[in-house]
Amino acid sequence: MTNKTLGEVKLMTLRETPVVLADTPEKIANYYNEVISKSANFTDDTENFYVIFLNTRRKIIGYQLVTMGTLDTLHVHPRETFRAAIVANCNAIVILHNHPSGDSTPSDADIRCTKDLINGGKILKIELLDHVIMGHANNGRGYTSLRELGYFSGF
């Protein structure tokens, strides 16, 4: 029998950012542009997948970079997406990622991933409120909400 050391999860409260009400995709996009895209670990030439943690009043209590992908691909699993959400004792989450191409149109993989995460959240009783895909502002609004497109109603 071998001993396996499990990784540690450290959760820090975001004191340096104002408490933001995240009740619309536009507010999530603004938070991404003002906070997340300026973080040290962000790169705009690869896809970056983030989870945003919300309290019962839909205010942001933190966020985490879940995975970094390639130019056009991400590998996302519910286990990694919800791990820190459980530690943060959050009520709901919003997921978001960027498309380096600038086109925020969701791919079939984005839609499948969203469906899997909605189902995972139902089991954990952590509601997935939206999946926002960030593009470039010169390409329409600069973001797409899968909830606004109606992908959440069929799940």
Side-chain angles (χ1 to χ4, degrees), residues 12 14 16 32-46 48 50 63 65 68:
M12 298 186 301
L14 295 176
E16 65 275 2
Y32 170 88
N33 288 325
E34 294 170 11
V35 178
I36 294 174
S37 68
K38 293 179 172 72
S39 67
N41 58 4
F42 178 79
T43 59
D44 64 355
D45 59 347
T46 61
N48 297 268
Y50 291 88
Y63 73 91
L65 172 63
M68 294 175 74

